[in-house]
Coordinates of all heavy atoms in Angstrom, one line a residue:
V147 N 116.3 106.3 69.3 CA 115.7 105.3 68.4 C 114.7 106.0 67.6 O 114.2 107.1 67.9 CB 115.0 104.2 69.2 CG1 116.0 103.4 70.1 CG2 113.8 104.7 70.1
H148 N 114.3 105.4 66.5 CA 113.4 106.0 65.5 C 111.9 106.1 66.3 O 111.6 105.4 67.1 CB 113.2 105.2 64.3 CG 114.4 105.2 63.5 ND1 115.0 106.3 62.9 CD2 115.3 104.1 63.1 CE1 116.0 106.0 62.2 NE2 116.3 104.7 62.3
Q149 N 111.2 107.1 65.8 CA 109.9 107.4 66.4 C 109.0 106.1 66.2 O 108.2 105.8 67.1 CB 109.2 108.5 65.6 CG 107.8 109.0 66.2 CD 107.2 110.1 65.4 OE1 106.4 110.0 64.6 NE2 107.7 111.3 65.8
E150 N 109.1 105.4 65.1 CA 108.3 104.3 64.9 C 108.5 103.2 65.9 O 107.7 102.2 66.2 CB 108.4 103.7 63.5 CG 109.9 103.3 63.2 CD 110.0 102.9 61.7 OE1 109.5 103.6 60.9 OE2 110.7 101.9 61.4
V151 N 109.7 103.2 66.6 CA 110.1 102.2 67.5 C 109.5 102.6 68.9 O 108.9 101.8 69.5 CB 111.7 102.1 67.6 CG1 112.0 101.2 68.8 CG2 112.2 101.5 66.3
W152 N 109.7 103.8 69.3 CA 109.3 104.2 70.6 C 107.8 104.3 70.7 O 107.2 104.2 71.8 CB 110.1 105.4 71.2 CG 109.9 106.8 70.5 CD1 111.0 107.3 69.8 CD2 108.9 107.7 70.5 NE1 110.6 108.5 69.3 CE2 109.3 108.8 69.7 CE3 107.6 107.7 71.0 CZ2 108.5 109.9 69.5 CZ3 106.8 108.8 70.9 CH2 107.2 109.9 70.0
R153 N 107.2 104.6 69.6 CA 105.7 104.7 69.6 C 105.0 103.4 70.0 O 103.9 103.4 70.6 CB 105.1 105.3 68.3 CG 105.3 106.9 68.2 CD 104.5 107.3 67.0 NE 104.6 108.8 66.9 CZ 103.9 109.7 67.6 NH1 103.1 109.1 68.5 NH2 104.1 110.9 67.4
K154 N 105.6 102.3 69.6 CA 105.0 101.0 69.9 C 105.2 100.7 71.3 O 104.5 99.8 71.9 CB 105.7 99.9 69.1 CG 105.6 100.1 67.6 CD 106.4 99.1 66.8 CE 106.3 99.1 65.3 NZ 107.1 98.1 64.6
R155 N 106.1 101.3 72.0 CA 106.4 100.9 73.4 C 105.4 101.3 74.4 O 105.3 100.6 75.5 CB 107.8 101.5 73.8 CG 108.9 101.0 73.0 CD 110.3 101.6 73.4 NE 111.3 100.8 72.7 CZ 112.6 101.2 72.8 NH1 112.9 102.3 73.4 NH2 113.5 100.5 72.0
Y156 N 104.4 102.2 74.1 CA 103.4 102.5 75.0 C 102.5 101.3 75.2 O 102.1 100.8 76.3 CB 102.5 103.7 74.6 CG 103.2 104.9 74.4 CD1 103.4 105.6 73.2 CD2 103.8 105.6 75.5 CE1 104.0 106.8 73.0 CE2 104.5 106.8 75.4 CZ 104.6 107.4 74.1 OH 105.3 108.5 73.9
R157 N 102.1 100.7 74.1 CA 101.4 99.5 74.2 C 102.1 98.3 74.8 O 101.5 97.5 75.6 CB 100.9 99.0 72.7 CG 100.2 97.7 72.6 CD 99.8 97.3 71.2 NE 101.0 97.4 70.3 CZ 101.9 96.4 70.3 NH1 101.9 95.4 71.0 NH2 103.0 96.5 69.5
Q158 N 103.3 98.2 74.5 CA 104.1 97.1 75.0 C 104.3 97.2 76.5 O 104.2 96.2 77.3 CB 105.5 97.0 74.4 CG 105.5 96.7 72.9 CD 106.8 97.0 72.2 OE1 107.8 97.7 72.8 NE2 106.9 96.7 70.9
I159 N 104.5 98.4 77.0 CA 104.6 98.6 78.4 C 103.3 98.4 79.1 O 103.2 97.7 80.2 CB 105.0 100.1 78.7 CG1 106.5 100.3 78.4 CG2 104.7 100.5 80.2 CD1 107.0 101.8 78.3
N160 N 102.1 98.7 78.5 CA 100.9 98.4 79.2 C 100.6 96.9 79.2 O 100.1 96.4 80.2 CB 99.8 99.0 78.3 CG 99.7 100.6 78.6 OD1 100.2 101.1 79.5 ND2 99.0 101.3 77.6
D161 N 101.0 96.2 78.2 CA 100.9 94.8 78.1 C 101.8 94.1 79.3 O 101.4 93.2 79.9 CB 101.3 94.2 76.8 CG 100.2 94.5 75.8 OD1 99.1 94.8 76.1 OD2 100.6 94.4 74.5
F162 N 103.0 94.7 79.4 CA 103.9 94.1 80.4 C 103.4 94.3 81.8 O 103.5 93.4 82.6 CB 105.3 94.9 80.1 CG 106.3 94.5 81.2 CD1 106.9 93.3 81.4 CD2 106.7 95.6 82.0 CE1 107.9 93.0 82.3 CE2 107.7 95.4 83.0 CZ 108.2 94.1 83.1
E163 N 102.9 95.5 82.1 CA 102.5 95.8 83.4 C 101.1 95.1 83.7 O 100.9 94.7 84.8 CB 102.1 97.4 83.5 CG 103.5 98.1 83.5 CD 103.3 99.6 83.6 OE1 102.1 100.1 83.6 OE2 104.4 100.4 83.8
R164 N 100.3 94.9 82.7 CA 99.1 94.0 82.9 C 99.5 92.6 83.3 O 98.9 92.0 84.2 CB 98.2 94.0 81.6 CG 96.9 93.2 81.8 CD 95.9 93.3 80.7 NE 96.5 92.7 79.5 CZ 96.9 93.3 78.4 NH1 96.9 94.7 78.4 NH2 97.4 92.7 77.4
M165 N 100.5 92.1 82.5 CA 101.0 90.7 82.9 C 101.5 90.7 84.3 O 101.1 89.7 85.0 CB 102.0 90.3 81.9 CG 102.6 88.9 82.1 SD 103.9 88.8 83.3 CE 105.2 89.8 82.5
L166 N 102.2 91.7 84.8 CA 102.8 91.6 86.2 C 101.6 91.7 87.1 O 101.5 90.9 88.1 CB 103.6 92.8 86.4 CG 105.0 92.7 85.6 CD1 105.8 94.1 86.0 CD2 105.8 91.6 85.9
T167 N 100.6 92.6 87.0 CA 99.5 92.7 87.9 C 98.6 91.5 88.0 O 98.2 91.1 89.1 CB 98.7 93.9 87.6 OG1 98.1 93.8 86.2 CG2 99.5 95.2 87.7
E168 N 98.4 90.8 86.8 CA 97.7 89.6 86.8 C 98.4 88.4 87.4 O 97.8 87.4 87.7 CB 97.3 89.2 85.3 CG 96.3 90.2 84.7 CD 96.0 89.9 83.3 OE1 96.6 89.1 82.7 OE2 95.0 90.5 82.8
N169 N 99.7 88.6 87.7 CA 100.5 87.6 88.4 C 100.9 88.1 89.7 O 102.0 87.6 90.3 CB 101.6 87.2 87.5 CG 101.3 86.4 86.3 OD1 101.2 85.1 86.4 ND2 101.0 87.0 85.2
G170 N 100.2 88.9 90.4 CA 100.3 89.2 91.8 C 101.3 90.4 92.1 O 101.7 90.5 93.3
V171 N 101.6 91.1 91.1 CA 102.6 92.3 91.4 C 101.7 93.6 91.3 O 101.3 94.0 90.1 CB 103.7 92.4 90.4 CG1 104.6 93.5 90.7 CG2 104.5 91.1 90.4
A172 N 101.5 94.2 92.4 CA 100.8 95.5 92.3 C 101.7 96.6 92.0 O 102.9 96.6 92.4 CB 100.2 95.8 93.7
I173 N 101.3 97.5 91.2 CA 102.2 98.6 90.6 C 101.8 100.0 91.0 O 100.5 100.3 90.8 CB 102.3 98.5 89.1 CG1 102.9 97.1 88.7 CG2 103.3 99.6 88.6 CD1 102.8 96.8 87.1
L174 N 102.6 100.7 91.6 CA 102.3 102.1 91.9 C 103.3 103.0 91.2 O 104.5 102.8 91.3 CB 102.5 102.4 93.4 CG 101.4 101.9 94.4 CD1 101.8 102.1 95.8 CD2 100.1 102.6 94.0
K175 N 102.8 104.0 90.3 CA 103.6 104.7 89.5 C 103.5 106.2 90.0 O 102.4 106.7 89.8 CB 103.3 104.5 88.1 CG 103.4 103.1 87.6 CD 103.2 102.9 86.1 CE 101.8 103.2 85.7 NZ 101.5 102.7 84.3
F176 N 104.6 106.8 90.3 CA 104.7 108.1 90.9 C 105.5 109.0 89.9 O 106.7 108.8 89.8 CB 105.2 108.3 92.3 CG 104.4 107.4 93.3 CD1 105.0 106.5 94.1 CD2 102.9 107.6 93.4 CE1 104.3 105.8 95.0 CE2 102.3 106.8 94.3 CZ 102.9 105.9 95.1
F177 N 104.9 110.1 89.4 CA 105.6 111.1 88.7 C 105.9 112.2 89.7 O 104.9 112.9 90.1 CB 105.0 111.6 87.4 CG 105.6 112.8 86.8 CD1 106.9 112.7 86.3 CD2 104.9 113.9 86.7 CE1 107.5 113.9 85.7 CE2 105.5 115.1 86.2 CZ 106.8 115.0 85.7
L178 N 107.1 112.5 90.1 CA 107.3 113.6 91.0 C 107.5 114.9 90.2 O 108.3 115.2 89.5 CB 108.6 113.3 91.7 CG 108.7 112.0 92.5 CD1 109.9 111.9 93.3 CD2 107.5 111.8 93.4
H179 N 106.4 115.8 90.3 CA 106.2 116.9 89.6 C 106.7 118.2 90.3 O 106.2 118.6 91.2 CB 104.7 117.1 89.4 CG 104.3 118.2 88.5 ND1 105.1 118.7 87.4 CD2 103.2 119.0 88.6 CE1 104.5 119.7 86.8 NE2 103.3 120.0 87.5
I180 N 107.8 118.7 89.7 CA 108.4 119.9 90.2 C 108.4 121.1 89.1 O 108.4 120.7 87.9 CB 109.8 119.8 90.7 CG1 110.8 119.4 89.7 CG2 109.9 118.8 91.9 CD1 112.2 119.5 90.1
S181 N 108.4 122.3 89.5 CA 108.4 123.4 88.6 C 109.9 123.6 88.1 O 110.8 123.2 88.8 CB 107.9 124.6 89.2 OG 108.8 125.1 90.3
K182 N 110.0 124.3 87.0 CA 111.4 124.6 86.5 C 112.1 125.5 87.5 O 113.3 125.4 87.7 CB 111.3 125.3 85.1 CG 112.6 125.4 84.4 CD 112.4 125.9 83.0 CE 113.8 125.9 82.3 NZ 113.6 126.3 80.8
E183 N 111.4 126.4 88.1 CA 112.0 127.3 89.1 C 112.4 126.5 90.4 O 113.6 126.8 90.9 CB 111.0 128.4 89.5 CG 111.5 129.4 90.5 CD 112.7 130.2 90.0 OE1 112.7 130.4 88.6 OE2 113.5 130.8 90.8
E184 N 111.7 125.6 90.8 CA 112.1 124.8 92.0 C 113.3 123.9 91.6 O 114.2 123.8 92.4 CB 110.9 123.8 92.4 CG 111.2 123.0 93.6 CD 111.6 123.6 94.8 OE1 111.4 124.9 95.0 OE2 112.3 123.1 95.7
Q185 N 113.4 123.4 90.4 CA 114.6 122.7 90.0 C 115.8 123.6 90.1 O 116.8 123.2 90.5 CB 114.4 122.1 88.5 CG 115.6 121.2 88.2 CD 115.6 120.9 86.7 OE1 115.8 121.7 85.8 NE2 115.5 119.6 86.4
K186 N 115.7 124.8 89.6 CA 116.7 125.7 89.6 C 117.2 126.0 91.1 O 118.4 126.0 91.4 CB 116.3 127.1 89.0 CG 117.4 128.2 89.0 CD 116.9 129.4 88.4 CE 117.9 130.5 88.5 NZ 117.4 131.8 88.0
N187 N 116.2 126.1 91.9 CA 116.6 126.4 93.4 C 117.3 125.2 93.9 O 118.3 125.4 94.7 CB 115.3 126.6 94.2 CG 114.6 128.0 93.8 OD1 115.3 128.9 93.2 ND2 113.3 128.1 94.0
R188 N 116.9 124.0 93.6 CA 117.5 122.8 94.2 C 119.0 122.6 93.6 O 119.9 122.2 94.3 CB 116.7 121.6 93.9 CG 115.4 121.6 94.7 CD 114.6 120.4 94.4 NE 113.2 120.6 95.2 CZ 112.3 119.6 95.2 NH1 112.5 118.4 94.6 NH2 111.2 119.8 95.9
F189 N 119.1 122.9 92.3 CA 120.5 122.9 91.8 C 121.4 123.8 92.4 O 122.5 123.6 92.8 CB 120.4 123.1 90.2 CG 120.0 122.0 89.4 CD1 119.7 122.2 88.0 CD2 120.1 120.7 89.8 CE1 119.3 121.2 87.2 CE2 119.7 119.6 89.1 CZ 119.3 119.9 87.8
E190 N 120.9 125.1 92.7 CA 121.6 126.1 93.3 C 122.1 125.7 94.7 O 123.2 125.9 95.2 CB 120.9 127.4 93.3 CG 120.8 128.1 91.9 CD 120.0 129.3 91.9 OE1 119.2 129.6 92.8 OE2 120.2 130.1 90.9
A191 N 121.1 125.1 95.4 CA 121.4 124.7 96.8 C 122.4 123.5 96.8 O 123.3 123.5 97.7 CB 120.1 124.2 97.5
R192 N 122.4 122.7 95.9 CA 123.4 121.6 95.7 C 124.7 122.1 95.5 O 125.7 121.6 96.0 CB 123.0 120.6 94.6 CG 121.8 119.8 95.0 CD 121.5 118.7 93.9 NE 120.4 117.8 94.2 CZ 119.9 116.9 93.4 NH1 120.5 116.6 92.3 NH2 118.8 116.2 93.8
I193 N 124.8 123.2 94.6 CA 126.1 123.7 94.3 C 126.8 124.3 95.5 O 128.0 124.2 95.7 CB 125.9 124.8 93.2 CG1 125.5 124.3 91.9 CG2 127.1 125.7 93.1 CD1 125.1 125.3 90.8
Q194 N 126.0 124.9 96.5 CA 126.5 125.4 97.6 C 126.8 124.4 98.8 O 127.4 124.7 99.8 CB 125.6 126.6 98.1 CG 125.2 127.7 97.2 CD 126.6 128.5 96.8 OE1 127.4 128.7 97.6 NE2 126.6 128.8 95.5
D195 N 126.3 123.3 98.6 CA 126.3 122.3 99.7 C 127.4 121.2 99.3 O 127.1 120.4 98.5 CB 124.9 121.7 100.0 CG 124.8 120.8 101.2 OD1 125.9 120.4 101.7 OD2 123.7 120.4 101.6
S196 N 128.5 121.2 100.1 CA 129.5 120.1 99.8 C 129.0 118.7 100.0 O 129.7 117.8 99.5 CB 130.7 120.4 100.5 OG 130.5 120.4 102.0
S197 N 128.0 118.6 100.8 CA 127.5 117.2 101.1 C 126.6 116.7 99.9 O 126.3 115.5 100.0 CB 126.8 117.1 102.4 OG 125.6 117.9 102.4
R198 N 126.2 117.6 99.1 CA 125.3 117.2 98.0 C 125.8 117.5 96.6 O 125.3 117.0 95.6 CB 124.0 117.9 98.2 CG 123.2 117.3 99.4 CD 121.8 117.9 99.4 NE 121.7 119.3 99.6 CZ 120.7 120.1 99.3 NH1 119.6 119.5 98.7 NH2 120.7 121.3 99.4
N199 N 126.9 118.5 96.5 CA 127.3 118.8 95.1 C 127.9 117.7 94.4 O 128.2 117.9 93.1 CB 128.1 120.1 95.1 CG 129.3 120.0 95.9 OD1 129.8 119.0 96.2 ND2 129.8 121.2 96.4
W200 N 128.3 116.7 95.0 CA 128.9 115.5 94.3 C 127.9 114.8 93.4 O 128.2 114.1 92.5 CB 129.5 114.5 95.3 CG 128.4 113.9 96.2 CD1 128.0 114.3 97.5 CD2 127.6 112.7 96.0 NE1 127.0 113.6 98.0 CE2 126.7 112.6 97.1 CE3 127.5 111.8 95.0 CZ2 125.8 111.6 97.2 CZ3 126.6 110.7 95.1 CH2 125.8 110.7 96.2
K201 N 126.6 115.1 93.7 CA 125.6 114.4 92.9 C 125.3 115.1 91.6 O 124.7 114.6 90.6 CB 124.3 114.5 93.6 CG 124.3 113.7 95.0 CD 122.9 113.8 95.7 CE 121.8 113.1 95.0 NZ 120.5 113.1 95.8
L202 N 125.9 116.3 91.4 CA 125.8 117.1 90.2 C 126.7 116.6 89.1 O 127.7 116.2 89.3 CB 126.1 118.6 90.4 CG 125.1 119.4 91.4 CD1 125.6 120.7 91.7 CD2 123.7 119.4 90.7
S203 N 126.2 116.7 87.8 CA 127.0 116.4 86.7 C 126.6 117.2 85.5 O 125.5 117.8 85.6 CB 126.7 114.9 86.3 OG 125.4 114.7 85.9
L204 N 127.5 117.4 84.6 CA 127.1 118.3 83.5 C 125.9 118.0 82.7 O 125.1 118.9 82.4 CB 128.3 118.3 82.4 CG 128.3 119.3 81.4 CD1 128.2 120.8 81.9 CD2 129.5 119.2 80.4
P205 N 125.6 116.7 82.5 CA 124.3 116.4 81.9 C 123.0 116.9 82.6 O 122.0 117.1 82.0 CB 124.3 114.8 81.9 CG 125.7 114.4 81.8 CD 126.4 115.5 82.7
D206 N 123.1 117.0 83.9 CA 122.0 117.6 84.7 C 121.6 118.9 84.2 O 120.4 119.2 83.9 CB 122.3 117.6 86.2 CG 122.5 116.3 86.8 OD1 122.0 115.3 86.3 OD2 123.1 116.2 87.9
F207 N 122.6 119.8 84.0 CA 122.3 121.1 83.4 C 121.9 121.1 82.0 O 121.1 121.9 81.6 CB 123.6 122.0 83.8 CG 124.0 122.0 85.2 CD1 125.2 121.4 85.5 CD2 123.3 122.6 86.2 CE1 125.6 121.4 86.9 CE2 123.7 122.6 87.5 CZ 124.8 122.0 87.8
E208 N 122.5 120.3 81.3 CA 122.2 120.2 79.8 C 120.8 119.7 79.6 O 120.1 120.2 78.7 CB 123.2 119.2 79.1 CG 124.7 119.7 79.1 CD 125.7 118.7 78.6 OE1 125.3 117.5 78.4 OE2 126.8 119.2 78.2
E209 N 120.4 118.8 80.4 CA 119.0 118.2 80.3 C 118.0 119.3 80.5 O 116.8 119.2 80.0 CB 118.8 117.0 81.2 CG 119.5 115.8 80.8 CD 119.1 115.2 79.4 OE1 119.5 115.6 78.4 OE2 118.3 114.2 79.4
R210 N 118.3 120.2 81.4 CA 117.4 121.3 81.7 C 117.1 122.1 80.5 O 115.9 122.7 80.4 CB 118.1 122.3 82.8 CG 117.2 123.4 83.3 CD 117.9 124.1 84.5 NE 117.3 125.4 84.7 CZ 116.2 125.6 85.4 NH1 115.6 124.6 85.9 NH2 115.7 126.8 85.6
Q211 N 117.9 122.2 79.5 CA 117.6 122.8 78.3 C 116.5 122.2 77.5 O 115.9 122.8 76.5 CB 118.9 122.9 77.3 CG 120.0 123.5 78.1 CD 119.8 124.9 78.7 OE1 119.2 125.8 78.0 NE2 120.2 125.1 79.9
H212 N 116.2 120.9 77.8 CA 115.2 120.2 77.1 C 113.8 120.0 77.9 O 113.1 119.2 77.7 CB 115.7 118.7 76.8 CG 116.9 118.7 75.9 ND1 116.9 118.9 74.5 CD2 118.2 118.5 76.3 CE1 118.1 118.9 74.1 NE2 119.0 118.6 75.0
W213 N 113.7 121.0 78.8 CA 112.5 121.0 79.7 C 111.2 120.7 79.0 O 110.4 119.9 79.4 CB 112.5 122.2 80.5 CG 111.4 122.3 81.6 CD1 110.1 122.5 81.4 CD2 111.5 121.9 83.0 NE1 109.4 122.5 82.6 CE2 110.3 122.0 83.6 CE3 112.6 121.5 83.8 CZ2 110.0 121.8 84.9 CZ3 112.4 121.2 85.1 CH2 111.1 121.3 85.7
D214 N 110.9 121.6 78.0 CA 109.6 121.5 77.3 C 109.5 120.1 76.6 O 108.4 119.5 76.5 CB 109.5 122.7 76.2 CG 109.4 123.9 77.0 OD1 109.0 124.0 78.1 OD2 109.7 125.0 76.3
D215 N 110.6 119.7 76.0 CA 110.5 118.4 75.3 C 110.2 117.2 76.3 O 109.5 116.3 76.0 CB 111.9 118.0 74.6 CG 112.1 119.0 73.4 OD1 111.1 119.5 72.8 OD2 113.3 119.2 73.1
Y216 N 110.9 117.2 77.4 CA 110.6 116.2 78.4 C 109.1 116.3 79.0 O 108.5 115.3 79.2 CB 111.6 116.4 79.6 CG 112.9 115.6 79.4 CD1 114.0 116.2 79.2 CD2 112.8 114.2 79.4 CE1 115.3 115.5 79.0 CE2 114.0 113.4 79.2 CZ 115.2 114.1 79.0 OH 116.4 113.4 78.8
T217 N 108.7 117.6 79.2 CA 107.3 117.8 79.6 C 106.3 117.0 78.6 O 105.4 116.4 79.0 CB 106.9 119.2 79.7 OG1 107.8 119.8 80.7 CG2 105.6 119.5 80.2
E218 N 106.6 117.3 77.3 CA 105.6 116.7 76.3 C 105.7 115.2 76.3 O 104.8 114.5 76.2 CB 106.1 117.2 74.9 CG 105.2 116.8 73.8 CD 105.5 117.4 72.4 OE1 106.5 118.3 72.4 OE2 105.0 116.9 71.4
A219 N 107.0 114.7 76.5 CA 107.2 113.2 76.5 C 106.5 112.6 77.7 O 106.0 111.6 77.6 CB 108.7 112.9 76.5
Y220 N 106.7 113.3 78.9 CA 106.0 112.8 80.1 C 104.5 112.8 79.9 O 103.8 111.8 80.4 CB 106.5 113.5 81.2 CG 107.6 113.0 82.0 CD1 108.8 113.6 82.1 CD2 107.4 111.8 82.8 CE1 109.9 113.0 82.8 CE2 108.4 111.2 83.5 CZ 109.6 111.8 83.5 OH 110.7 111.2 84.2
E221 N 103.9 113.8 79.4 CA 102.5 113.9 79.2 C 102.0 112.8 78.4 O 100.9 112.1 78.8 CB 102.1 115.3 78.6 CG 102.3 116.5 79.6 CD 102.1 117.8 78.9 OE1 102.1 117.9 77.7 OE2 101.9 118.8 79.7
D222 N 102.7 112.4 77.3 CA 102.2 111.3 76.5 C 102.4 110.0 77.3 O 101.5 109.1 77.2 CB 103.1 111.3 75.2 CG 102.5 112.1 74.1 OD1 101.4 112.6 74.3 OD2 103.2 112.3 73.1

Side-chain angles (χ1 to χ4, degrees):
V147 299
H148 293 298
Q149 183 180 99
E150 62 188 42
V151 173
W152 60 255
R153 281 194 178 279
K154 297 176 182 177
R155 291 178 176 174
Y156 300 118
R157 173 184 54 79
Q158 293 165 357
I159 287 172
N160 287 341
D161 290 342
F162 173 66
E163 292 180 351
R164 182 175 67 251
M165 182 273 295
L166 292 181
T167 58
E168 290 177 351
N169 284 275
V171 181
I173 302 174
L174 285 174
K175 301 185 295 193
F176 301 128
F177 170 65
L178 304 184
H179 180 35
I180 61 169
S181 66
K182 193 172 185 180
E183 183 63 25
E184 178 62 18
Q185 186 193 60
K186 178 183 177 182
N187 292 339
R188 293 183 184 183
F189 279 165
E190 290 175 341
R192 287 182 182 180
I193 291 172
Q194 300 300 322
D195 186 348
S196 60
S197 69
R198 293 190 294 161
N199 58 24
W200 63 270
K201 298 176 68 174
L202 293 170
S203 64
L204 186 59
D206 293 337
F207 305 108
E208 293 174 343
E209 290 294 84
R210 183 172 163 82
Q211 306 306 313
H212 301 281
W213 183 276
D214 292 340
D215 293 331
Y216 272 110
T217 297
E218 184 178 353
Y220 263 112
E221 288 174 344
D222 274 351

